[in-house]
Amino acid sequence: MDLLQDAIKKLQVKPGEHIKLKERDPRDKCGFEDEVKTEAQTAIIAQEIDQLQDRLYAEGKRALLVVLQGMDTAGKDGTIRGVFNTTGPIGIAVTAFRQPTENELAHDFLWRAHAACPRRGTIGIFNRSHYEDVLVAKVRGFAPKDAIEQRYEQINAFEKTLIENGTVILKFMLHISKKEQAERLQERLDNPKKHWKFNPGDLEDRKLWDEFEDAYETMLHRCSTKWAPWYLIPADRKWVRNAAIAGVVQATLEDMNPHYPQVSWKPTDFKIV
Amino acid sequence: MDLLQDAIKKLQVKPGEHIKLKERDPRDKCGFEDEVKTEAQTAIIAQEIDQLQDRLYAEGKRALLVVLQGMDTAGKDGTIRGVFNTTGPIGIAVTAFRQPTENELAHDFLWRAHAACPRRGTIGIFNRSHYEDVLVAKVRGFAPKDAIEQRYEQINAFEKTLIENGTVILKFMLHISKKEQAERLQERLDNPKKHWKFNPGDLEDRKLWDEFEDAYETMLHRCSTKWAPWYLIPADRKWVRNAAIAGVVQATLEDMNPHYPQVSWKPTDFKIV
């Protein structure tokens, strides 16, 4: 547990920190040594998350928002499966942020994110998020530079509002290497069961790897706040990624320590006939 | 499996059938004999549902809507836990229909149900549903009688539209006895961890047991259609309830038989550099 707490601290991006992604090792093991043992521990932690979620739901006062970002194939879906499959669907909602619709584009960029925020008592998972608007939008020039420049502070203010109103936010950047992405894309080509996951457009994004890396670095630098820090997760090894994220989620929920609510009546007030 | 198919057929309410709930036994075992063995089988079926859901998600063309209705304490939450906890949250969304908000009441009664329908590739679970508008709304007189009278056909037309556009609908009425409800309410009073689940208003509904039973019978009679039949599930025994519903869900998904989609390209079209 101390090891975990240490590992968690190391994963946090400090407010104002300038991280160079090329200097970080996506194959780092975060202190986890044995794959089989770690996966077994993660499965236990996943069950503990389920239990904590039940208490969060019963309490009904606060929410947890988990933001997952990363290059294509970084393992956003895999993280949800590895960490949250054990958590019952009653108190959890996953929102995949796809290309914005015409209606979504007719609003400010935070509109759809706000609408998808978890209701009190639940965990919301953003598979991609409002951060796409300072990532792909920046690299591909979907919005004017000035507008994107303003978005970092707008995001920080938005997240501060969420926090102050009872939503704890965990933001995970799944950091994979360009080499690992090549292997995962190739696997999608080689395995007919994964063909549907392959999007030829991903290759276009891959050509802009360095530009995306720059955009991620700026995002980490400007939007890792003390109220909603980013966690930089080495993600080339799926079992390390799952273990690290499960650990942070569990520690966060334990820290929130949700309670079964007090009721305003005594059991003896009622007689069931 | 034949036993299951037989059991499933027996649970279906035939279109136009008049069911008297007092003549149905909520403690019926539906052909399941051994509790421990049945629970083990249900756990296996839950895993198969998870696998089938993955294929549904990959296919991305059709959806499954599961409607859960029943008196207070009938086990709607418990069903979701017992049948769907194994299904990953990526492809499943639970909507609890609470007392309508002012905004929801400013629209027709199907508006919020339609908005909550599952997107293609996913399973949507309605914990309560648009049927509340012919149940509590009828018993409590929340809408004029004429308006409620029209709703049965409106619901049938709405569900037909969903079906014709790729959403399969399963509707389960969880049928408990008045005696079982008393025990479950008492348990919520006796167990401090369940206090938050106890709503004094439930006792008011309990006083109207017969009126609710009437409303349920009318609903089953008028809204069990050949495109979206109701299933009447004996629900006094939780393990029977879970086994029956898991069996129907699994058989339905197997019948839908979702396929990994064909792609318009050949793996050799691409070279990953």
Side-chain angles (χ1 to χ4, degrees):
Chain A
M1 198 60 195
D2 282 347
L3 181 77
L4 183 63
Q5 293 296 343
D6 273 4
I8 287 173
K9 268 192 203 146
K10 279 186 196 150
L11 296 169
Q12 262 193 28
V13 179
K14 313 273 171 306
E17 191 178 358
H18 281 278
I19 282 180
K20 285 283 158 204
L21 288 170
K22 289 210 195 313
E23 292 167 8
R24 297 295 183 118
D25 181 9
R27 296 192 66 74
D28 188 76
K29 290 187 184 169
C30 300
F32 302 108
E33 285 301 331
D34 181 76
E35 177 171 349
V36 174
K37 205 175 131 195
T38 301
E39 283 190 332
Q41 281 170 341
T42 301
I44 291 167
I45 291 177
Q47 284 174 350
E48 288 171 4
I49 291 172
D50 183 43
Q51 295 300 317
L52 286 158
Q53 206 290 311
D54 278 345
R55 279 164 49 195
L56 189 73
Y57 188 81
E59 181 190 82
K61 288 189 183 158
R62 292 171 293 169
L64 178 65
L65 172 60
V66 176
V67 172
L68 300 174
Q69 284 288 159
M71 305 276 201
D72 296 316
T73 77
K76 298 178 287 291
D77 283 1
T79 298
I80 299 172
R81 265 189 290 272
V83 179
F84 294 104
N85 255 29
T86 310
T87 311
I90 289 179
I92 200 165
V94 179
T95 305
F97 286 80
R98 298 174 173 82
Q99 226 170 320
T101 64
E102 201 179 2
N103 185 37
E104 287 168 350
L105 286 172
H107 297 80
D108 73 83
F109 78 104
L110 289 171
W111 179 77
R112 65 174 183 161
H114 210 158
C117 281
R119 60 180 293 142
R120 294 191 178 102
T122 71
I123 297 176
I125 301 176
F126 284 3
N127 184 342
R128 303 183 187 274
S129 68
H130 45 293
Y131 283 100
E132 288 297 320
D133 296 285
V134 294
L135 294 168
V136 69
K138 186 181 196 185
V139 173
R140 295 268 179 205
F142 291 157
K145 275 187 185 171
D146 290 357
I148 286 174
E149 183 58 28
Q150 294 179 311
R151 286 180 179 173
Y152 301 100
E153 282 310 312
Q154 291 166 355
I155 288 173
N156 290 344
F158 167 62
E159 292 179 355
K160 193 155 188 274
T161 297
L162 294 182
I163 297 278
E164 289 173 352
N165 286 276
T167 297
V168 172
I169 305 175
L170 290 172
K171 305 185 293 196
F172 298 106
M173 180 194 162
L174 313 184
H175 181 215
I176 55 164
S177 62
K178 198 172 177 188
K179 179 166 167 289
E180 179 71 18
Q181 188 189 55
E183 284 171 25
R184 294 186 186 181
L185 288 171
Q186 193 61 53
E187 162 73 4
R188 290 184 181 181
L189 288 176
D190 294 344
N191 181 347
K193 283 199 171 178
K194 293 195 171 177
H195 280 178
W196 66 280
K197 286 187 158 190
F198 182 80
N199 171 8
D202 293 352
L203 296 182
E204 297 307 309
D205 281 351
R206 181 171 167 80
K207 286 180 193 158
L208 297 167
W209 185 272
D210 288 344
E211 287 82 350
F212 272 100
E213 220 169 46
D214 276 355
Y216 271 105
E217 286 172 359
T218 305
M219 172 195 88
L220 294 175
H221 170 54
R222 299 197 49 186
C223 295
S224 199
T225 52
K226 62 176 184 292
W227 55 88
W230 271 101
Y231 292 84
L232 181 59
I233 307 293
D236 271 11
R237 300 177 201 265
K238 295 172 183 176
W239 59 276
V240 171
R241 173 200 75 201
N242 287 349
I245 293 177
V248 175
V249 170
Q250 185 219 26
T252 302
L253 284 167
E254 278 192 347
D255 194 52
M256 288 172 76
N257 192 20
H259 280 82
Y260 290 98
Q262 297 291 317
V263 293
S264 56
W265 41 264
K266 289 193 297 290
T268 49
D269 291 348
F270 303 103
K271 194 167 178 330
I272 294 158
V273 289
Chain B
M1 197 58 195
D2 282 347
L3 180 76
L4 183 64
Q5 293 297 339
D6 273 4
I8 287 173
K9 266 191 205 148
K10 278 184 197 154
L11 297 169
Q12 262 192 31
V13 180
K14 313 275 172 304
E17 190 177 358
H18 282 278
I19 282 180
K20 286 281 159 206
L21 288 170
K22 292 213 194 309
E23 292 167 8
R24 298 296 183 114
D25 181 10
R27 296 191 66 75
D28 189 76
K29 290 187 184 169
C30 300
F32 301 108
E33 285 302 332
D34 182 75
E35 177 171 349
V36 174
K37 205 175 131 194
T38 301
E39 283 191 330
Q41 281 169 341
T42 302
I44 291 167
I45 291 178
Q47 283 174 348
E48 288 171 3
I49 290 171
D50 182 45
Q51 295 300 315
L52 286 157
Q53 206 292 312
D54 278 345
R55 279 164 50 195
L56 189 73
Y57 188 80
E59 183 190 80
K61 287 189 183 160
R62 291 171 294 168
L64 177 65
L65 172 60
V66 176
V67 172
L68 300 175
Q69 284 289 159
M71 304 277 202
D72 296 317
T73 77
K76 298 178 286 293
D77 282 1
T79 299
I80 299 172
R81 264 189 289 273
V83 178
F84 294 105
N85 254 27
T86 311
T87 310
I90 289 178
I92 200 164
V94 179
T95 305
F97 286 79
R98 298 174 173 83
Q99 227 169 320
T101 63
E102 201 180 3
N103 185 37
E104 286 168 349
L105 286 171
H107 297 80
D108 72 85
F109 78 103
L110 289 172
W111 180 78
R112 65 173 183 162
H114 210 158
C117 282
R119 58 181 294 141
R120 294 192 178 101
T122 71
I123 297 177
I125 300 177
F126 283 3
N127 184 344
R128 304 185 187 271
S129 68
H130 45 293
Y131 282 100
E132 289 296 321
D133 296 285
V134 295
L135 293 167
V136 68
K138 187 181 194 183
V139 173
R140 295 266 178 206
F142 292 156
K145 275 187 187 173
D146 289 357
I148 286 174
E149 184 58 28
Q150 293 178 315
R151 287 180 178 172
Y152 302 99
E153 281 311 312
Q154 291 165 355
I155 288 174
N156 291 343
F158 166 62
E159 292 180 355
K160 193 155 189 275
T161 297
L162 294 183
I163 297 277
E164 289 172 352
N165 286 276
T167 297
V168 173
I169 304 175
L170 290 173
K171 303 185 294 196
F172 298 106
M173 180 194 161
L174 313 184
H175 182 213
I176 55 164
S177 61
K178 198 171 176 187
K179 180 167 167 287
E180 177 71 20
Q181 189 191 54
E183 284 171 25
R184 294 186 185 181
L185 287 172
Q186 193 61 54
E187 161 74 4
R188 289 184 183 181
L189 287 176
D190 294 343
N191 182 347
K193 282 199 172 181
K194 292 193 173 180
H195 280 179
W196 66 279
K197 285 186 159 191
F198 182 81
N199 173 8
D202 292 353
L203 296 183
E204 297 306 309
D205 281 351
R206 181 171 167 82
K207 287 180 195 157
L208 298 167
W209 185 273
D210 288 345
E211 287 81 350
F212 271 101
E213 219 168 48
D214 275 356
Y216 272 106
E217 286 173 359
T218 305
M219 173 196 87
L220 294 174
H221 171 54
R222 299 196 49 185
C223 295
S224 199
T225 53
K226 61 177 185 294
W227 56 88
W230 271 102
Y231 291 85
L232 181 60
I233 308 292
D236 271 10
R237 300 177 200 267
K238 295 172 183 175
W239 59 277
V240 171
R241 174 200 74 200
N242 287 349
I245 293 177
V248 176
V249 171
Q250 184 217 28
T252 302
L253 284 167
E254 277 192 349
D255 194 52
M256 289 171 77
N257 193 21
H259 281 82
Y260 290 98
Q262 298 290 316
V263 293
S264 57
W265 42 262
K266 290 192 299 290
T268 49
D269 291 348
F270 303 102
K271 194 166 181 325
I272 293 158
V273 288

